[in-house]
Amino acid sequence: MTTANLLHAHGLVVQTPGGRPLFRDLTMILNRGDRVALVGRNGAGKSTLLEVLAGHSAADGGNLACYGERAFVPQSIEPDPAASPGEARRRRLQQALDTGADLLLLDEPTQDLDHASALWLADALQRWPDGLVVVSHDRRLLAEFYDFFVVAESGCHHFSGSCGELISALEQERAENERRYVSNLERLTAHEKRQFLVRQRRERKKNVGRIRELGRATPKIILNYKRSYAQEKQAKRNLIQRDRVESARAWAEATRRALAVDLPLATLLPALPEPSAIPLARLQHVTACIGERVIIDDLTLDLDRQRIAVRGPNGSGKSLLLELLAGTRPPDRGHASIEPHRIGYIAQNAANWRKDESLLQHLVYACHHTADAAASCIHSHRFPFALAERPLASLSPGERLRAALICLLHRPSAPELLILDEPTNHLDFIGYDTLKELLSHWKGGLVVASHDEDFVHGLGLEMRITLDDRASA
């Protein structure tokens, strides 16, 4: 096998559809036989970059040359009514492997895969003879890589070493990024406050001139409606602007103070009310179908604060069971009695948390946190301050899941039961470790559907519900 260039990117410029720059002047070379993992924080642009390298999206500038056939499997797989997401993904992966392409590009390939399929993929990639670029946070998969391309807003770089060494380096980088964000925020806030004071002084000078003019004017001019209306409108604008400057200043000071204190996650978890005699969720002889196919048949289950892992292969009905327990889907037959105000539910990809409000807004307005309490909470959850100001709907699935969990745990009436569907999907390393630590300290009920055996094992779950795929037709 020759070592000729397989792909050469020079001076690439890539932006989001909204025009936000993701990469500028990016240069990278891939040779035949290179095996590289693209890693980085959720939302940093890894999937976008992979689409450009695969030729499925155009760069906004620079040059990209590929000297072989490319096979690309994106993160989003078109749904197949006759198959589960995991089954559909495995089929797409097999098709890509069968092409015999020179360069294989895979975006989160283990997402939705059950244990058997994940082992199949790991074996297939070990035997893959040509170029390979993978976007993944799956440590089981990344254990086989020693070349990483770290994607970050501050700049992209190559890292050579083990996955464990990479994670340590990323944690140090995260802490430095937070300090840099707070420093920039304070500087911008100070600049905006100076600008506001300058505008106020100019406005006062204008008003003095108007008063002198009015002293020489006729009564008709003094009563001029348009001028009064303009002055009233300017006063309202000044009030709005002053409030905005004060809010930004309070947030900047709160984030700076939060950096000085690292509260253990365990101390932030809410106290739970006394247990009730009423079950949190009760299913009585429940049957649920997808189309004509019976997935769950004649199930009876009482659920309180147990800690349960829901296991099963792709297509066995795990997500369907969680929807029934959360009360977001009624059964086709049987009876379900659910206490939704006592339950916190996050669907796959946090799809039920695509909201216009930000995490910061939710903590302040829905959870009644002060700026200091919100900043301390966000920092202790190791959630980036900058992302806390963005709408939840604009976050990546991994970021949105973490934000949704913070919202649930800090709402005025804390949930007694958390129901999480594949919560480790899309999580970066820091998010994964934080979630695992958080749930291990959580004393309430927990129902988790996950294919990640290491993750589930670390939660100390006391019970398992195992579904099979032998549902009746």
mmCIF file with all atom_site columns, all heavy atoms in Angstrom, residues 63 82 95 108-109 126 130 139 171 177 191 258 264 290 320 333 342 366 388 409 433 445:
data_model
loop_
_atom_site.group_PDB
_atom_site.id
_atom_site.type_symbol
_atom_site.label_atom_id
_atom_site.label_alt_id
_atom_site.label_comp_id
_atom_site.label_asym_id
_atom_site.label_entity_id
_atom_site.label_seq_id
_atom_site.pdbx_PDB_ins_code
_atom_site.Cartn_x
_atom_site.Cartn_y
_atom_site.Cartn_z
_atom_site.occupancy
_atom_site.B_iso_or_equiv
_atom_site.pdbx_formal_charge
_atom_site.auth_seq_id
_atom_site.auth_comp_id
_atom_site.auth_asym_id
_atom_site.auth_atom_id
_atom_site.pdbx_PDB_model_num
ATOM 1   N N   . ASN A 1 63  ? -9.350  25.125 -0.196 1.00 0.00 ? 63  ASN A N   1
ATOM 2   C CA  . ASN A 1 63  ? -9.317  24.062 -1.196 1.00 0.00 ? 63  ASN A CA  1
ATOM 3   C C   . ASN A 1 63  ? -9.356  22.693 -0.530 1.00 0.00 ? 63  ASN A C   1
ATOM 4   O O   . ASN A 1 63  ? -8.769  22.487 0.537  1.00 0.00 ? 63  ASN A O   1
ATOM 5   C CB  . ASN A 1 63  ? -8.039  24.165 -2.035 1.00 0.00 ? 63  ASN A CB  1
ATOM 6   C CG  . ASN A 1 63  ? -7.965  25.476 -2.809 1.00 0.00 ? 63  ASN A CG  1
ATOM 7   O OD1 . ASN A 1 63  ? -8.845  25.790 -3.595 1.00 0.00 ? 63  ASN A OD1 1
ATOM 8   N ND2 . ASN A 1 63  ? -6.909  26.230 -2.566 1.00 0.00 ? 63  ASN A ND2 1
ATOM 9   N N   . ALA A 1 82  ? -39.846 -0.026 9.215  1.00 0.00 ? 82  ALA A N   1
ATOM 10  C CA  . ALA A 1 82  ? -39.749 -1.469 9.441  1.00 0.00 ? 82  ALA A CA  1
ATOM 11  C C   . ALA A 1 82  ? -38.542 -1.852 10.288 1.00 0.00 ? 82  ALA A C   1
ATOM 12  O O   . ALA A 1 82  ? -38.327 -3.034 10.558 1.00 0.00 ? 82  ALA A O   1
ATOM 13  C CB  . ALA A 1 82  ? -39.679 -2.195 8.098  1.00 0.00 ? 82  ALA A CB  1
ATOM 14  N N   . GLN A 1 95  ? -23.323 -1.241 4.244  1.00 0.00 ? 95  GLN A N   1
ATOM 15  C CA  . GLN A 1 95  ? -23.268 -0.787 2.849  1.00 0.00 ? 95  GLN A CA  1
ATOM 16  C C   . GLN A 1 95  ? -21.986 -0.001 2.581  1.00 0.00 ? 95  GLN A C   1
ATOM 17  O O   . GLN A 1 95  ? -21.353 -0.164 1.523  1.00 0.00 ? 95  GLN A O   1
ATOM 18  C CB  . GLN A 1 95  ? -24.491 0.079  2.541  1.00 0.00 ? 95  GLN A CB  1
ATOM 19  C CG  . GLN A 1 95  ? -25.798 -0.700 2.512  1.00 0.00 ? 95  GLN A CG  1
ATOM 20  C CD  . GLN A 1 95  ? -27.009 0.208  2.455  1.00 0.00 ? 95  GLN A CD  1
ATOM 21  O OE1 . GLN A 1 95  ? -26.909 1.431  2.599  1.00 0.00 ? 95  GLN A OE1 1
ATOM 22  N NE2 . GLN A 1 95  ? -28.195 -0.385 2.260  1.00 0.00 ? 95  GLN A NE2 1
ATOM 23  N N   . GLU A 1 108 ? -20.414 9.358  14.380 1.00 0.00 ? 108 GLU A N   1
ATOM 24  C CA  . GLU A 1 108 ? -21.030 8.680  15.539 1.00 0.00 ? 108 GLU A CA  1
ATOM 25  C C   . GLU A 1 108 ? -21.566 7.304  15.126 1.00 0.00 ? 108 GLU A C   1
ATOM 26  O O   . GLU A 1 108 ? -22.761 7.013  15.266 1.00 0.00 ? 108 GLU A O   1
ATOM 27  C CB  . GLU A 1 108 ? -22.148 9.535  16.137 1.00 0.00 ? 108 GLU A CB  1
ATOM 28  C CG  . GLU A 1 108 ? -21.683 10.859 16.705 1.00 0.00 ? 108 GLU A CG  1
ATOM 29  C CD  . GLU A 1 108 ? -20.869 10.718 17.991 1.00 0.00 ? 108 GLU A CD  1
ATOM 30  O OE1 . GLU A 1 108 ? -20.697 9.580  18.475 1.00 0.00 ? 108 GLU A OE1 1
ATOM 31  O OE2 . GLU A 1 108 ? -20.394 11.751 18.489 1.00 0.00 ? 108 GLU A OE2 1
ATOM 32  N N   . PRO A 1 109 ? -20.708 6.422  14.645 1.00 0.00 ? 109 PRO A N   1
ATOM 33  C CA  . PRO A 1 109 ? -21.188 5.148  14.088 1.00 0.00 ? 109 PRO A CA  1
ATOM 34  C C   . PRO A 1 109 ? -21.785 4.196  15.122 1.00 0.00 ? 109 PRO A C   1
ATOM 35  O O   . PRO A 1 109 ? -22.571 3.323  14.749 1.00 0.00 ? 109 PRO A O   1
ATOM 36  C CB  . PRO A 1 109 ? -19.930 4.546  13.443 1.00 0.00 ? 109 PRO A CB  1
ATOM 37  C CG  . PRO A 1 109 ? -18.797 5.140  14.214 1.00 0.00 ? 109 PRO A CG  1
ATOM 38  C CD  . PRO A 1 109 ? -19.234 6.540  14.537 1.00 0.00 ? 109 PRO A CD  1
ATOM 39  N N   . GLN A 1 126 ? -11.351 -2.618 12.791 1.00 0.00 ? 126 GLN A N   1
ATOM 40  C CA  . GLN A 1 126 ? -9.990  -3.100 13.012 1.00 0.00 ? 126 GLN A CA  1
ATOM 41  C C   . GLN A 1 126 ? -9.417  -3.721 11.744 1.00 0.00 ? 126 GLN A C   1
ATOM 42  O O   . GLN A 1 126 ? -8.210  -3.642 11.483 1.00 0.00 ? 126 GLN A O   1
ATOM 43  C CB  . GLN A 1 126 ? -9.981  -4.122 14.151 1.00 0.00 ? 126 GLN A CB  1
ATOM 44  C CG  . GLN A 1 126 ? -10.090 -3.505 15.535 1.00 0.00 ? 126 GLN A CG  1
ATOM 45  C CD  . GLN A 1 126 ? -10.104 -4.556 16.625 1.00 0.00 ? 126 GLN A CD  1
ATOM 46  O OE1 . GLN A 1 126 ? -10.154 -5.761 16.341 1.00 0.00 ? 126 GLN A OE1 1
ATOM 47  N NE2 . GLN A 1 126 ? -10.076 -4.130 17.872 1.00 0.00 ? 126 GLN A NE2 1
ATOM 48  N N   . ASP A 1 130 ? -7.897  0.682  4.668  1.00 0.00 ? 130 ASP A N   1
ATOM 49  C CA  . ASP A 1 130 ? -7.548  1.969  4.074  1.00 0.00 ? 130 ASP A CA  1
ATOM 50  C C   . ASP A 1 130 ? -7.816  3.118  5.052  1.00 0.00 ? 130 ASP A C   1
ATOM 51  O O   . ASP A 1 130 ? -7.874  2.929  6.255  1.00 0.00 ? 130 ASP A O   1
ATOM 52  C CB  . ASP A 1 130 ? -8.321  2.163  2.771  1.00 0.00 ? 130 ASP A CB  1
ATOM 53  C CG  . ASP A 1 130 ? -7.784  1.259  1.660  1.00 0.00 ? 130 ASP A CG  1
ATOM 54  O OD1 . ASP A 1 130 ? -6.550  1.197  1.517  1.00 0.00 ? 130 ASP A OD1 1
ATOM 55  O OD2 . ASP A 1 130 ? -8.592  0.623  0.968  1.00 0.00 ? 130 ASP A OD2 1
ATOM 56  N N   . ARG A 1 139 ? -15.777 5.669  24.037 1.00 0.00 ? 139 ARG A N   1
ATOM 57  C CA  . ARG A 1 139 ? -14.421 5.320  24.487 1.00 0.00 ? 139 ARG A CA  1
ATOM 58  C C   . ARG A 1 139 ? -14.037 3.902  24.079 1.00 0.00 ? 139 ARG A C   1
ATOM 59  O O   . ARG A 1 139 ? -12.855 3.611  23.891 1.00 0.00 ? 139 ARG A O   1
ATOM 60  C CB  . ARG A 1 139 ? -14.321 5.479  26.006 1.00 0.00 ? 139 ARG A CB  1
ATOM 61  C CG  . ARG A 1 139 ? -14.569 6.904  26.437 1.00 0.00 ? 139 ARG A CG  1
ATOM 62  C CD  . ARG A 1 139 ? -14.372 7.086  27.912 1.00 0.00 ? 139 ARG A CD  1
ATOM 63  N NE  . ARG A 1 139 ? -15.029 8.319  28.338 1.00 0.00 ? 139 ARG A NE  1
ATOM 64  C CZ  . ARG A 1 139 ? -14.720 8.992  29.425 1.00 0.00 ? 139 ARG A CZ  1
ATOM 65  N NH1 . ARG A 1 139 ? -13.779 8.556  30.210 1.00 0.00 ? 139 ARG A NH1 1
ATOM 66  N NH2 . ARG A 1 139 ? -15.362 10.088 29.743 1.00 0.00 ? 139 ARG A NH2 1
ATOM 67  N N   . GLU A 1 171 ? -9.752  18.116 29.535 1.00 0.00 ? 171 GLU A N   1
ATOM 68  C CA  . GLU A 1 171 ? -10.254 18.679 30.785 1.00 0.00 ? 171 GLU A CA  1
ATOM 69  C C   . GLU A 1 171 ? -9.494  19.956 31.141 1.00 0.00 ? 171 GLU A C   1
ATOM 70  O O   . GLU A 1 171 ? -10.087 20.957 31.558 1.00 0.00 ? 171 GLU A O   1
ATOM 71  C CB  . GLU A 1 171 ? -10.132 17.654 31.914 1.00 0.00 ? 171 GLU A CB  1
ATOM 72  C CG  . GLU A 1 171 ? -10.475 18.189 33.290 1.00 0.00 ? 171 GLU A CG  1
ATOM 73  C CD  . GLU A 1 171 ? -11.874 18.783 33.379 1.00 0.00 ? 171 GLU A CD  1
ATOM 74  O OE1 . GLU A 1 171 ? -12.783 18.302 32.669 1.00 0.00 ? 171 GLU A OE1 1
ATOM 75  O OE2 . GLU A 1 171 ? -12.050 19.733 34.164 1.00 0.00 ? 171 GLU A OE2 1
ATOM 76  N N   . ASN A 1 177 ? -10.724 27.402 28.909 1.00 0.00 ? 177 ASN A N   1
ATOM 77  C CA  . ASN A 1 177 ? -11.749 28.056 28.085 1.00 0.00 ? 177 ASN A CA  1
ATOM 78  C C   . ASN A 1 177 ? -12.767 28.792 28.939 1.00 0.00 ? 177 ASN A C   1
ATOM 79  O O   . ASN A 1 177 ? -13.224 29.881 28.576 1.00 0.00 ? 177 ASN A O   1
ATOM 80  C CB  . ASN A 1 177 ? -12.453 27.025 27.203 1.00 0.00 ? 177 ASN A CB  1
ATOM 81  C CG  . ASN A 1 177 ? -11.598 26.557 26.050 1.00 0.00 ? 177 ASN A CG  1
ATOM 82  O OD1 . ASN A 1 177 ? -10.625 27.216 25.683 1.00 0.00 ? 177 ASN A OD1 1
ATOM 83  N ND2 . ASN A 1 177 ? -11.936 25.417 25.478 1.00 0.00 ? 177 ASN A ND2 1
ATOM 84  N N   . HIS A 1 191 ? -17.007 47.496 28.531 1.00 0.00 ? 191 HIS A N   1
ATOM 85  C CA  . HIS A 1 191 ? -17.060 48.341 27.333 1.00 0.00 ? 191 HIS A CA  1
ATOM 86  C C   . HIS A 1 191 ? -18.490 48.813 27.073 1.00 0.00 ? 191 HIS A C   1
ATOM 87  O O   . HIS A 1 191 ? -18.712 50.001 26.776 1.00 0.00 ? 191 HIS A O   1
ATOM 88  C CB  . HIS A 1 191 ? -16.536 47.560 26.136 1.00 0.00 ? 191 HIS A CB  1
ATOM 89  C CG  . HIS A 1 191 ? -16.681 48.293 24.828 1.00 0.00 ? 191 HIS A CG  1
ATOM 90  N ND1 . HIS A 1 191 ? -15.899 49.363 24.471 1.00 0.00 ? 191 HIS A ND1 1
ATOM 91  C CD2 . HIS A 1 191 ? -17.557 48.100 23.786 1.00 0.00 ? 191 HIS A CD2 1
ATOM 92  C CE1 . HIS A 1 191 ? -16.259 49.808 23.284 1.00 0.00 ? 191 HIS A CE1 1
ATOM 93  N NE2 . HIS A 1 191 ? -17.256 49.063 22.847 1.00 0.00 ? 191 HIS A NE2 1
ATOM 94  N N   . ALA A 1 258 ? -18.241 32.206 40.447 1.00 0.00 ? 258 ALA A N   1
ATOM 95  C CA  . ALA A 1 258 ? -18.469 30.756 40.373 1.00 0.00 ? 258 ALA A CA  1
ATOM 96  C C   . ALA A 1 258 ? -17.178 29.998 40.084 1.00 0.00 ? 258 ALA A C   1
ATOM 97  O O   . ALA A 1 258 ? -16.978 28.890 40.578 1.00 0.00 ? 258 ALA A O   1
ATOM 98  C CB  . ALA A 1 258 ? -19.518 30.443 39.304 1.00 0.00 ? 258 ALA A CB  1
ATOM 99  N N   . PRO A 1 264 ? -19.131 20.284 44.941 1.00 0.00 ? 264 PRO A N   1
ATOM 100 C CA  . PRO A 1 264 ? -19.342 18.902 44.492 1.00 0.00 ? 264 PRO A CA  1
ATOM 101 C C   . PRO A 1 264 ? -20.759 18.729 43.961 1.00 0.00 ? 264 PRO A C   1
ATOM 102 O O   . PRO A 1 264 ? -21.726 19.312 44.488 1.00 0.00 ? 264 PRO A O   1
ATOM 103 C CB  . PRO A 1 264 ? -19.128 18.079 45.773 1.00 0.00 ? 264 PRO A CB  1
ATOM 104 C CG  . PRO A 1 264 ? -18.342 18.967 46.681 1.00 0.00 ? 264 PRO A CG  1
ATOM 105 C CD  . PRO A 1 264 ? -18.771 20.365 46.364 1.00 0.00 ? 264 PRO A CD  1
ATOM 106 N N   . ILE A 1 290 ? -46.472 -0.771 17.304 1.00 0.00 ? 290 ILE A N   1
ATOM 107 C CA  . ILE A 1 290 ? -45.982 0.124  16.266 1.00 0.00 ? 290 ILE A CA  1
ATOM 108 C C   . ILE A 1 290 ? -46.547 -0.397 14.959 1.00 0.00 ? 290 ILE A C   1
ATOM 109 O O   . ILE A 1 290 ? -46.164 -1.464 14.478 1.00 0.00 ? 290 ILE A O   1
ATOM 110 C CB  . ILE A 1 290 ? -44.448 0.165  16.230 1.00 0.00 ? 290 ILE A CB  1
ATOM 111 C CG1 . ILE A 1 290 ? -43.899 0.742  17.536 1.00 0.00 ? 290 ILE A CG1 1
ATOM 112 C CG2 . ILE A 1 290 ? -43.970 0.993  15.047 1.00 0.00 ? 290 ILE A CG2 1
ATOM 113 C CD1 . ILE A 1 290 ? -42.393 0.824  17.602 1.00 0.00 ? 290 ILE A CD1 1
ATOM 114 N N   . LEU A 1 320 ? -40.221 2.737  23.541 1.00 0.00 ? 320 LEU A N   1
ATOM 115 C CA  . LEU A 1 320 ? -41.672 2.650  23.683 1.00 0.00 ? 320 LEU A CA  1
ATOM 116 C C   . LEU A 1 320 ? -42.062 2.456  25.150 1.00 0.00 ? 320 LEU A C   1
ATOM 117 O O   . LEU A 1 320 ? -42.996 3.105  25.646 1.00 0.00 ? 320 LEU A O   1
ATOM 118 C CB  . LEU A 1 320 ? -42.205 1.501  22.825 1.00 0.00 ? 320 LEU A CB  1
ATOM 119 C CG  . LEU A 1 320 ? -43.714 1.288  22.790 1.00 0.00 ? 320 LEU A CG  1
ATOM 120 C CD1 . LEU A 1 320 ? -44.424 2.544  22.313 1.00 0.00 ? 320 LEU A CD1 1
ATOM 121 C CD2 . LEU A 1 320 ? -44.061 0.103  21.903 1.00 0.00 ? 320 LEU A CD2 1
ATOM 122 N N   . ARG A 1 333 ? -53.779 -0.899 24.472 1.00 0.00 ? 333 ARG A N   1
ATOM 123 C CA  . ARG A 1 333 ? -54.754 -1.612 25.315 1.00 0.00 ? 333 ARG A CA  1
ATOM 124 C C   . ARG A 1 333 ? -54.229 -1.623 26.743 1.00 0.00 ? 333 ARG A C   1
ATOM 125 O O   . ARG A 1 333 ? -53.033 -1.494 26.989 1.00 0.00 ? 333 ARG A O   1
ATOM 126 C CB  . ARG A 1 333 ? -54.959 -3.059 24.823 1.00 0.00 ? 333 ARG A CB  1
ATOM 127 C CG  . ARG A 1 333 ? -55.658 -3.164 23.484 1.00 0.00 ? 333 ARG A CG  1
ATOM 128 C CD  . ARG A 1 333 ? -56.079 -4.613 23.183 1.00 0.00 ? 333 ARG A CD  1
ATOM 129 N NE  . ARG A 1 333 ? -54.925 -5.482 23.023 1.00 0.00 ? 333 ARG A NE  1
ATOM 130 C CZ  . ARG A 1 333 ? -54.272 -5.642 21.884 1.00 0.00 ? 333 ARG A CZ  1
ATOM 131 N NH1 . ARG A 1 333 ? -54.641 -4.971 20.808 1.00 0.00 ? 333 ARG A NH1 1
ATOM 132 N NH2 . ARG A 1 333 ? -53.240 -6.475 21.805 1.00 0.00 ? 333 ARG A NH2 1
ATOM 133 N N   . ARG A 1 342 ? -44.294 14.341 39.060 1.00 0.00 ? 342 ARG A N   1
ATOM 134 C CA  . ARG A 1 342 ? -43.274 13.744 39.927 1.00 0.00 ? 342 ARG A CA  1
ATOM 135 C C   . ARG A 1 342 ? -42.181 13.039 39.111 1.00 0.00 ? 342 ARG A C   1
ATOM 136 O O   . ARG A 1 342 ? -41.295 12.408 39.682 1.00 0.00 ? 342 ARG A O   1
ATOM 137 C CB  . ARG A 1 342 ? -43.931 12.744 40.882 1.00 0.00 ? 342 ARG A CB  1
ATOM 138 C CG  . ARG A 1 342 ? -44.987 13.370 41.790 1.00 0.00 ? 342 ARG A CG  1
ATOM 139 C CD  . ARG A 1 342 ? -45.823 12.312 42.492 1.00 0.00 ? 342 ARG A CD  1
ATOM 140 N NE  . ARG A 1 342 ? -45.022 11.465 43.373 1.00 0.00 ? 342 ARG A NE  1
ATOM 141 C CZ  . ARG A 1 342 ? -45.457 10.296 43.859 1.00 0.00 ? 342 ARG A CZ  1
ATOM 142 N NH1 . ARG A 1 342 ? -46.663 9.824  43.512 1.00 0.00 ? 342 ARG A NH1 1
ATOM 143 N NH2 . ARG A 1 342 ? -44.681 9.596  44.662 1.00 0.00 ? 342 ARG A NH2 1
ATOM 144 N N   . ALA A 1 366 ? -37.812 30.128 35.652 1.00 0.00 ? 366 ALA A N   1
ATOM 145 C CA  . ALA A 1 366 ? -38.629 28.973 36.036 1.00 0.00 ? 366 ALA A CA  1
ATOM 146 C C   . ALA A 1 366 ? -38.197 28.389 37.384 1.00 0.00 ? 366 ALA A C   1
ATOM 147 O O   . ALA A 1 366 ? -39.030 27.916 38.153 1.00 0.00 ? 366 ALA A O   1
ATOM 148 C CB  . ALA A 1 366 ? -38.556 27.893 34.953 1.00 0.00 ? 366 ALA A CB  1
ATOM 149 N N   . ALA A 1 388 ? -24.862 28.211 28.018 1.00 0.00 ? 388 ALA A N   1
ATOM 150 C CA  . ALA A 1 388 ? -26.008 28.421 28.903 1.00 0.00 ? 388 ALA A CA  1
ATOM 151 C C   . ALA A 1 388 ? -26.867 29.590 28.445 1.00 0.00 ? 388 ALA A C   1
ATOM 152 O O   . ALA A 1 388 ? -28.030 29.708 28.852 1.00 0.00 ? 388 ALA A O   1
ATOM 153 C CB  . ALA A 1 388 ? -25.528 28.663 30.332 1.00 0.00 ? 388 ALA A CB  1
ATOM 154 N N   . LEU A 1 409 ? -33.499 18.873 37.498 1.00 0.00 ? 409 LEU A N   1
ATOM 155 C CA  . LEU A 1 409 ? -33.038 18.694 38.874 1.00 0.00 ? 409 LEU A CA  1
ATOM 156 C C   . LEU A 1 409 ? -33.173 19.959 39.705 1.00 0.00 ? 409 LEU A C   1
ATOM 157 O O   . LEU A 1 409 ? -33.204 19.884 40.934 1.00 0.00 ? 409 LEU A O   1
ATOM 158 C CB  . LEU A 1 409 ? -31.580 18.230 38.874 1.00 0.00 ? 409 LEU A CB  1
ATOM 159 C CG  . LEU A 1 409 ? -31.336 16.829 38.327 1.00 0.00 ? 409 LEU A CG  1
ATOM 160 C CD1 . LEU A 1 409 ? -29.843 16.522 38.291 1.00 0.00 ? 409 LEU A CD1 1
ATOM 161 C CD2 . LEU A 1 409 ? -32.065 15.787 39.165 1.00 0.00 ? 409 LEU A CD2 1
ATOM 162 N N   . ASP A 1 433 ? -18.645 11.896 31.690 1.00 0.00 ? 433 ASP A N   1
ATOM 163 C CA  . ASP A 1 433 ? -18.173 11.699 33.065 1.00 0.00 ? 433 ASP A CA  1
ATOM 164 C C   . ASP A 1 433 ? -19.053 12.438 34.071 1.00 0.00 ? 433 ASP A C   1
ATOM 165 O O   . ASP A 1 433 ? -19.326 11.933 35.159 1.00 0.00 ? 433 ASP A O   1
ATOM 166 C CB  . ASP A 1 433 ? -16.726 12.178 33.193 1.00 0.00 ? 433 ASP A CB  1
ATOM 167 C CG  . ASP A 1 433 ? -15.749 11.263 32.471 1.00 0.00 ? 433 ASP A CG  1
ATOM 168 O OD1 . ASP A 1 433 ? -16.115 10.104 32.197 1.00 0.00 ? 433 ASP A OD1 1
ATOM 169 O OD2 . ASP A 1 433 ? -14.623 11.703 32.184 1.00 0.00 ? 433 ASP A OD2 1
ATOM 170 N N   . GLY A 1 445 ? -35.599 7.801  42.052 1.00 0.00 ? 445 GLY A N   1
ATOM 171 C CA  . GLY A 1 445 ? -35.779 6.707  41.115 1.00 0.00 ? 445 GLY A CA  1
ATOM 172 C C   . GLY A 1 445 ? -35.110 7.011  39.785 1.00 0.00 ? 445 GLY A C   1
ATOM 173 O O   . GLY A 1 445 ? -34.942 8.166  39.399 1.00 0.00 ? 445 GLY A O   1
#
